[in-house]
Amino acid sequence: MKNKILLIGGVGAGKTTLKQRLLQESLTYRKTQVIDFKGLFIDCPGEYIQIPTYYRVLIDASHRVSEVWALQDATNKRSPYPPKFANVFNKKTVVGIVTKLDREDADTSVAERYLQQAGFADPLHIISAKEGIGLEPLILRLEALMKKD
Ligand SMILES: Nc1nc2c(ncn2[C@@H]2O[C@H](COP(=O)(O)OP(=O)(O)OP(=O)(O)O)[C@@H](O)[C@H]2O)c(=O)[nH]1
Ligand SMILES: [Mg+2]
């Protein structure tokens, strides 16, 4: 149960797309409506980080995983994360991921800063799930996690 990953990030940040890409599923868009505990990833609706009353659900879900991956859309001018939000996961391994690197309007440095301010900077990866760019370190993490029992 513990070798799972919780994906967090705002609505449309790319959580489900990243999950589909890493699990080699076809990339089909459907908005995540409810938290999904099935499989290696716990995927949740972006509203859970955008609406503070849902923080509790994310914290509870984090108890079932060994890593929390926090996504920030590089085309989004805003961040859903409060400063130092990573601290709520209480020393759990956290990973910051800037998504949508392929988009012309991507501003990765702003997105990186948002993740840093929230405490999701070490490590931090910049990716495009759509184009399959920058995924190698995440694939390695996944493989390492699957080897753990
Ligand atoms: N250009 C580009 N688009 C992406 C990328 N990742 C996701 N998208 C698009 O962004 C939109 C939202 O992606 P999702 O993966 O559904 O986002 P989500 O974080 O799961 O969103 P919620 O389920 O609403 O919380 C979809 O249209 C995706 O195709 C990417 O790397 N590049
Ligand atoms: Mg989703």
Short mmCIF file of all heavy atoms in Angstrom, two decimals, residues 34-79:
data_model
loop_
_atom_site.label_atom_id
_atom_site.label_comp_id
_atom_site.label_asym_id
_atom_site.label_seq_id
_atom_site.Cartn_x
_atom_site.Cartn_y
_atom_site.Cartn_z
N VAL A 34 -13.69 12.56 -8.83
CA VAL A 34 -13.55 12.07 -7.45
C VAL A 34 -12.15 11.51 -7.28
O VAL A 34 -11.49 11.17 -8.26
CB VAL A 34 -14.57 10.93 -7.12
CG1 VAL A 34 -15.98 11.46 -7.08
CG2 VAL A 34 -14.44 9.79 -8.12
N ILE A 35 -11.73 11.44 -6.05
CA ILE A 35 -10.39 10.91 -5.78
C ILE A 35 -10.35 9.43 -6.16
O ILE A 35 -11.30 8.69 -5.91
CB ILE A 35 -9.99 11.18 -4.32
CG1 ILE A 35 -8.51 10.86 -4.07
CG2 ILE A 35 -10.89 10.48 -3.33
CD1 ILE A 35 -7.93 11.54 -2.84
N ASP A 36 -9.27 9.04 -6.82
CA ASP A 36 -9.17 7.68 -7.36
C ASP A 36 -7.99 6.98 -6.68
O ASP A 36 -6.83 7.33 -6.90
CB ASP A 36 -8.94 7.78 -8.88
CG ASP A 36 -8.75 6.42 -9.53
OD1 ASP A 36 -8.97 5.39 -8.85
OD2 ASP A 36 -8.37 6.39 -10.71
N PHE A 37 -8.29 5.99 -5.85
CA PHE A 37 -7.27 5.31 -5.07
C PHE A 37 -6.72 4.07 -5.77
O PHE A 37 -5.83 3.42 -5.27
CB PHE A 37 -7.84 4.88 -3.71
CG PHE A 37 -8.13 6.02 -2.79
CD1 PHE A 37 -9.42 6.48 -2.60
CD2 PHE A 37 -7.10 6.64 -2.08
CE1 PHE A 37 -9.69 7.54 -1.75
CE2 PHE A 37 -7.35 7.69 -1.22
CZ PHE A 37 -8.65 8.14 -1.06
N LYS A 38 -7.30 3.74 -6.94
CA LYS A 38 -6.90 2.50 -7.62
C LYS A 38 -5.49 2.63 -8.19
O LYS A 38 -5.13 3.68 -8.71
CB LYS A 38 -7.86 2.21 -8.79
CG LYS A 38 -9.24 1.77 -8.36
CD LYS A 38 -10.03 1.24 -9.55
CE LYS A 38 -10.15 2.17 -10.73
NZ LYS A 38 -10.98 3.35 -10.55
N GLY A 39 -4.72 1.57 -8.10
CA GLY A 39 -3.44 1.54 -8.76
C GLY A 39 -2.33 2.28 -8.04
O GLY A 39 -2.45 2.65 -6.88
N LEU A 40 -1.27 2.50 -8.79
CA LEU A 40 -0.05 3.06 -8.22
C LEU A 40 -0.20 4.52 -7.82
O LEU A 40 0.38 4.99 -6.85
CB LEU A 40 1.01 2.92 -9.32
CG LEU A 40 2.46 3.20 -9.01
CD1 LEU A 40 2.93 2.30 -7.89
CD2 LEU A 40 3.28 2.95 -10.27
N PHE A 41 -0.99 5.25 -8.60
CA PHE A 41 -1.18 6.68 -8.34
C PHE A 41 -2.52 6.94 -7.67
O PHE A 41 -3.53 6.36 -8.06
CB PHE A 41 -1.17 7.46 -9.64
CG PHE A 41 0.18 7.52 -10.31
CD1 PHE A 41 0.48 6.66 -11.35
CD2 PHE A 41 1.14 8.43 -9.89
CE1 PHE A 41 1.73 6.69 -11.97
CE2 PHE A 41 2.39 8.49 -10.51
CZ PHE A 41 2.67 7.62 -11.55
N ILE A 42 -2.51 7.82 -6.70
CA ILE A 42 -3.78 8.36 -6.21
C ILE A 42 -3.97 9.70 -6.92
O ILE A 42 -3.18 10.62 -6.76
CB ILE A 42 -3.78 8.54 -4.68
CG1 ILE A 42 -3.59 7.19 -3.98
CG2 ILE A 42 -5.09 9.20 -4.23
CD1 ILE A 42 -3.62 7.26 -2.45
N ASP A 43 -4.99 9.74 -7.76
CA ASP A 43 -5.26 10.93 -8.59
C ASP A 43 -6.49 11.62 -8.02
O ASP A 43 -7.46 10.96 -7.65
CB ASP A 43 -5.53 10.46 -10.03
CG ASP A 43 -5.63 11.60 -11.02
OD1 ASP A 43 -5.22 12.73 -10.68
OD2 ASP A 43 -6.11 11.35 -12.15
N CYS A 44 -6.45 12.92 -7.92
CA CYS A 44 -7.61 13.60 -7.31
C CYS A 44 -7.99 14.82 -8.14
O CYS A 44 -7.21 15.30 -8.96
CB CYS A 44 -7.29 13.98 -5.88
SG CYS A 44 -5.89 15.08 -5.74
N PRO A 45 -9.20 15.31 -7.94
CA PRO A 45 -9.61 16.50 -8.66
C PRO A 45 -8.78 17.72 -8.20
O PRO A 45 -8.45 17.83 -7.02
CB PRO A 45 -11.08 16.69 -8.23
CG PRO A 45 -11.49 15.41 -7.59
CD PRO A 45 -10.24 14.79 -7.05
N GLY A 46 -8.46 18.60 -9.14
CA GLY A 46 -7.67 19.78 -8.80
C GLY A 46 -8.31 20.68 -7.76
O GLY A 46 -7.63 21.43 -7.06
N GLU A 47 -9.62 20.57 -7.63
CA GLU A 47 -10.32 21.39 -6.63
C GLU A 47 -9.79 21.12 -5.22
O GLU A 47 -9.88 21.99 -4.35
CB GLU A 47 -11.83 21.08 -6.64
CG GLU A 47 -12.59 21.65 -7.84
CD GLU A 47 -12.48 20.78 -9.08
OE1 GLU A 47 -11.74 19.76 -9.09
OE2 GLU A 47 -13.14 21.16 -10.08
N TYR A 48 -9.25 19.93 -5.00
CA TYR A 48 -8.81 19.58 -3.65
C TYR A 48 -7.66 20.45 -3.16
O TYR A 48 -7.47 20.58 -1.96
CB TYR A 48 -8.41 18.10 -3.58
CG TYR A 48 -9.58 17.14 -3.58
CD1 TYR A 48 -10.84 17.55 -3.98
CD2 TYR A 48 -9.42 15.82 -3.19
CE1 TYR A 48 -11.91 16.67 -4.00
CE2 TYR A 48 -10.49 14.93 -3.19
CZ TYR A 48 -11.73 15.36 -3.60
OH TYR A 48 -12.79 14.49 -3.62
N ILE A 49 -6.89 21.01 -4.10
CA ILE A 49 -5.83 21.92 -3.65
C ILE A 49 -6.30 23.39 -3.78
O ILE A 49 -5.73 24.28 -3.17
CB ILE A 49 -4.50 21.68 -4.42
CG1 ILE A 49 -3.35 22.50 -3.83
CG2 ILE A 49 -4.62 21.96 -5.89
CD1 ILE A 49 -2.95 22.12 -2.46
N GLN A 50 -7.36 23.59 -4.52
CA GLN A 50 -7.82 24.97 -4.73
C GLN A 50 -8.81 25.41 -3.66
O GLN A 50 -9.04 26.60 -3.49
CB GLN A 50 -8.44 25.10 -6.13
CG GLN A 50 -7.42 24.87 -7.23
CD GLN A 50 -7.94 25.04 -8.63
OE1 GLN A 50 -7.24 24.69 -9.58
NE2 GLN A 50 -9.16 25.53 -8.81
N ILE A 51 -9.41 24.45 -2.97
CA ILE A 51 -10.42 24.77 -1.97
C ILE A 51 -9.94 24.24 -0.61
O ILE A 51 -9.87 23.03 -0.40
CB ILE A 51 -11.79 24.16 -2.35
CG1 ILE A 51 -12.20 24.64 -3.75
CG2 ILE A 51 -12.86 24.50 -1.31
CD1 ILE A 51 -13.41 23.95 -4.34
N PRO A 52 -9.55 25.15 0.29
CA PRO A 52 -8.90 24.72 1.53
C PRO A 52 -9.68 23.70 2.36
O PRO A 52 -9.05 22.89 3.06
CB PRO A 52 -8.70 26.03 2.30
CG PRO A 52 -8.56 27.05 1.22
CD PRO A 52 -9.51 26.61 0.13
N THR A 53 -11.01 23.67 2.26
CA THR A 53 -11.73 22.65 3.06
C THR A 53 -11.37 21.23 2.64
O THR A 53 -11.59 20.30 3.41
CB THR A 53 -13.27 22.78 2.93
OG1 THR A 53 -13.57 23.24 1.63
CG2 THR A 53 -13.86 23.66 3.97
N TYR A 54 -10.82 21.09 1.44
CA TYR A 54 -10.43 19.75 0.98
C TYR A 54 -9.01 19.36 1.37
O TYR A 54 -8.58 18.24 1.10
CB TYR A 54 -10.55 19.64 -0.55
CG TYR A 54 -11.95 19.59 -1.09
CD1 TYR A 54 -12.41 20.58 -1.94
CD2 TYR A 54 -12.81 18.54 -0.77
CE1 TYR A 54 -13.69 20.54 -2.46
CE2 TYR A 54 -14.09 18.49 -1.28
CZ TYR A 54 -14.53 19.50 -2.12
OH TYR A 54 -15.78 19.45 -2.64
N TYR A 55 -8.24 20.28 1.94
CA TYR A 55 -6.85 19.95 2.28
C TYR A 55 -6.79 18.67 3.11
O TYR A 55 -5.90 17.84 2.96
CB TYR A 55 -6.18 21.06 3.09
CG TYR A 55 -5.87 22.33 2.33
CD1 TYR A 55 -5.45 23.47 3.02
CD2 TYR A 55 -5.97 22.41 0.95
CE1 TYR A 55 -5.16 24.65 2.36
CE2 TYR A 55 -5.70 23.59 0.27
CZ TYR A 55 -5.29 24.71 0.99
OH TYR A 55 -5.00 25.87 0.33
N ARG A 56 -7.77 18.52 4.00
CA ARG A 56 -7.82 17.37 4.89
C ARG A 56 -7.81 16.04 4.10
O ARG A 56 -7.17 15.07 4.48
CB ARG A 56 -9.07 17.51 5.78
CG ARG A 56 -9.48 16.35 6.64
CD ARG A 56 -8.44 15.88 7.62
NE ARG A 56 -7.80 16.92 8.39
CZ ARG A 56 -6.61 16.78 9.01
NH1 ARG A 56 -5.98 15.64 8.96
NH2 ARG A 56 -6.09 17.78 9.68
N VAL A 57 -8.54 16.05 2.97
CA VAL A 57 -8.61 14.83 2.13
C VAL A 57 -7.22 14.52 1.57
O VAL A 57 -6.79 13.36 1.53
CB VAL A 57 -9.62 15.03 0.96
CG1 VAL A 57 -9.73 13.76 0.13
CG2 VAL A 57 -10.97 15.47 1.47
N LEU A 58 -6.51 15.56 1.15
CA LEU A 58 -5.17 15.35 0.60
C LEU A 58 -4.22 14.83 1.68
O LEU A 58 -3.42 13.93 1.44
CB LEU A 58 -4.61 16.66 0.03
CG LEU A 58 -5.34 17.25 -1.17
CD1 LEU A 58 -4.68 18.53 -1.62
CD2 LEU A 58 -5.38 16.24 -2.32
N ILE A 59 -4.34 15.40 2.86
CA ILE A 59 -3.45 14.97 3.96
C ILE A 59 -3.75 13.52 4.32
O ILE A 59 -2.84 12.71 4.47
CB ILE A 59 -3.59 15.93 5.16
CG1 ILE A 59 -3.08 17.32 4.77
CG2 ILE A 59 -2.84 15.40 6.38
CD1 ILE A 59 -3.50 18.44 5.71
N ASP A 60 -5.03 13.17 4.40
CA ASP A 60 -5.42 11.77 4.69
C ASP A 60 -4.87 10.83 3.60
O ASP A 60 -4.33 9.78 3.89
CB ASP A 60 -6.93 11.62 4.77
CG ASP A 60 -7.49 12.14 6.08
OD1 ASP A 60 -6.67 12.43 6.99
OD2 ASP A 60 -8.72 12.25 6.20
N ALA A 61 -5.05 11.24 2.35
CA ALA A 61 -4.59 10.40 1.23
C ALA A 61 -3.07 10.23 1.29
O ALA A 61 -2.55 9.17 0.96
CB ALA A 61 -5.00 11.02 -0.10
N SER A 62 -2.37 11.25 1.76
CA SER A 62 -0.90 11.18 1.79
C SER A 62 -0.42 10.10 2.75
O SER A 62 0.68 9.58 2.61
CB SER A 62 -0.29 12.53 2.15
OG SER A 62 -0.42 12.80 3.53
N HIS A 63 -1.25 9.74 3.71
CA HIS A 63 -0.86 8.69 4.65
C HIS A 63 -0.81 7.32 3.98
O HIS A 63 -0.26 6.38 4.52
CB HIS A 63 -1.83 8.64 5.85
CG HIS A 63 -1.78 9.91 6.65
ND1 HIS A 63 -2.90 10.45 7.25
CD2 HIS A 63 -0.77 10.76 6.92
CE1 HIS A 63 -2.55 11.57 7.86
NE2 HIS A 63 -1.27 11.78 7.67
N ARG A 64 -1.39 7.22 2.79
CA ARG A 64 -1.42 5.94 2.08
C ARG A 64 -0.30 5.82 1.05
O ARG A 64 -0.27 4.85 0.29
CB ARG A 64 -2.74 5.79 1.32
CG ARG A 64 -3.96 5.92 2.18
CD ARG A 64 -5.10 5.43 1.33
NE ARG A 64 -6.39 5.74 1.91
CZ ARG A 64 -7.50 5.14 1.54
NH1 ARG A 64 -7.45 4.21 0.59
NH2 ARG A 64 -8.64 5.46 2.07
N VAL A 65 0.55 6.84 0.94
CA VAL A 65 1.56 6.83 -0.12
C VAL A 65 2.95 7.04 0.45
O VAL A 65 3.10 7.45 1.61
CB VAL A 65 1.28 7.95 -1.17
CG1 VAL A 65 -0.11 7.80 -1.76
CG2 VAL A 65 1.46 9.34 -0.56
N SER A 66 3.94 6.78 -0.38
CA SER A 66 5.29 7.10 0.08
C SER A 66 5.81 8.41 -0.52
O SER A 66 6.77 8.98 -0.02
CB SER A 66 6.25 5.96 -0.20
OG SER A 66 6.08 5.50 -1.51
N GLU A 67 5.18 8.87 -1.62
CA GLU A 67 5.63 10.13 -2.22
C GLU A 67 4.45 10.98 -2.63
O GLU A 67 3.41 10.46 -3.05
CB GLU A 67 6.49 9.85 -3.47
CG GLU A 67 7.74 9.06 -3.17
CD GLU A 67 8.71 8.99 -4.35
OE1 GLU A 67 8.42 9.54 -5.43
OE2 GLU A 67 9.77 8.37 -4.16
N VAL A 68 4.63 12.29 -2.53
CA VAL A 68 3.62 13.23 -3.01
C VAL A 68 4.26 14.01 -4.16
O VAL A 68 5.32 14.61 -3.99
CB VAL A 68 3.19 14.22 -1.91
CG1 VAL A 68 2.18 15.23 -2.45
CG2 VAL A 68 2.61 13.48 -0.70
N TRP A 69 3.63 13.95 -5.32
CA TRP A 69 4.12 14.69 -6.49
C TRP A 69 3.19 15.89 -6.70
O TRP A 69 1.98 15.72 -6.90
CB TRP A 69 4.11 13.81 -7.75
CG TRP A 69 5.11 12.69 -7.72
CD1 TRP A 69 5.89 12.26 -6.66
CD2 TRP A 69 5.45 11.83 -8.81
NE1 TRP A 69 6.67 11.21 -7.04
CE2 TRP A 69 6.43 10.91 -8.35
CE3 TRP A 69 5.02 11.73 -10.14
CZ2 TRP A 69 6.98 9.91 -9.17
CZ3 TRP A 69 5.56 10.74 -10.95
CH2 TRP A 69 6.53 9.85 -10.48
N ALA A 70 3.78 17.08 -6.65
CA ALA A 70 3.01 18.32 -6.76
C ALA A 70 3.25 18.96 -8.11
O ALA A 70 4.39 19.29 -8.46
CB ALA A 70 3.41 19.28 -5.64
N LEU A 71 2.17 19.13 -8.87
CA LEU A 71 2.29 19.66 -10.23
C LEU A 71 1.94 21.14 -10.28
O LEU A 71 1.03 21.60 -9.57
CB LEU A 71 1.35 18.89 -11.18
CG LEU A 71 1.87 17.56 -11.73
CD1 LEU A 71 2.12 16.55 -10.63
CD2 LEU A 71 0.89 16.99 -12.75
N GLN A 72 2.67 21.85 -11.15
CA GLN A 72 2.34 23.25 -11.44
C GLN A 72 2.35 23.42 -12.95
O GLN A 72 3.36 23.15 -13.62
CB GLN A 72 3.37 24.19 -10.78
CG GLN A 72 3.24 25.65 -11.19
CD GLN A 72 1.95 26.31 -10.71
OE1 GLN A 72 1.55 26.13 -9.56
NE2 GLN A 72 1.29 27.09 -11.56
N ASP A 73 1.23 23.89 -13.48
CA ASP A 73 1.08 24.14 -14.91
C ASP A 73 1.90 25.38 -15.28
O ASP A 73 1.67 26.47 -14.75
CB ASP A 73 -0.43 24.37 -15.16
CG ASP A 73 -0.77 24.69 -16.60
OD1 ASP A 73 0.14 25.00 -17.38
OD2 ASP A 73 -1.97 24.63 -16.92
N ALA A 74 2.85 25.22 -16.20
CA ALA A 74 3.73 26.34 -16.59
C ALA A 74 2.99 27.44 -17.34
O ALA A 74 3.53 28.53 -17.53
CB ALA A 74 4.88 25.81 -17.44
N THR A 75 1.76 27.17 -17.77
CA THR A 75 1.01 28.20 -18.49
C THR A 75 0.03 28.92 -17.56
O THR A 75 -0.70 29.81 -18.00
CB THR A 75 0.21 27.61 -19.67
OG1 THR A 75 -0.85 26.78 -19.16
CG2 THR A 75 1.09 26.77 -20.57
N ASN A 76 0.02 28.49 -16.30
CA ASN A 76 -0.92 29.11 -15.37
C ASN A 76 -0.24 30.24 -14.63
O ASN A 76 0.81 30.06 -14.02
CB ASN A 76 -1.43 28.04 -14.38
CG ASN A 76 -2.66 28.50 -13.64
OD1 ASN A 76 -2.85 29.70 -13.41
ND2 ASN A 76 -3.50 27.57 -13.25
N LYS A 77 -0.83 31.42 -14.69
CA LYS A 77 -0.23 32.60 -14.04
C LYS A 77 -0.36 32.53 -12.53
O LYS A 77 0.20 33.35 -11.82
CB LYS A 77 -0.90 33.88 -14.55
CG LYS A 77 -0.87 34.06 -16.05
CD LYS A 77 0.41 34.82 -16.46
CE LYS A 77 0.51 35.01 -17.95
NZ LYS A 77 0.61 33.76 -18.73
N ARG A 78 -1.14 31.59 -12.06
CA ARG A 78 -1.36 31.52 -10.62
C ARG A 78 -0.96 30.15 -10.07
O ARG A 78 -0.89 29.18 -10.80
CB ARG A 78 -2.85 31.77 -10.32
CG ARG A 78 -3.31 33.12 -10.85
CD ARG A 78 -4.74 33.39 -10.51
NE ARG A 78 -4.94 33.39 -9.07
CZ ARG A 78 -6.12 33.53 -8.49
NH1 ARG A 78 -7.20 33.67 -9.23
NH2 ARG A 78 -6.24 33.52 -7.19
N SER A 79 -0.73 30.14 -8.77
CA SER A 79 -0.38 28.89 -8.11
C SER A 79 -1.49 28.55 -7.11
O SER A 79 -1.99 29.43 -6.42
CB SER A 79 0.93 29.07 -7.34
OG SER A 79 1.08 28.04 -6.39
#
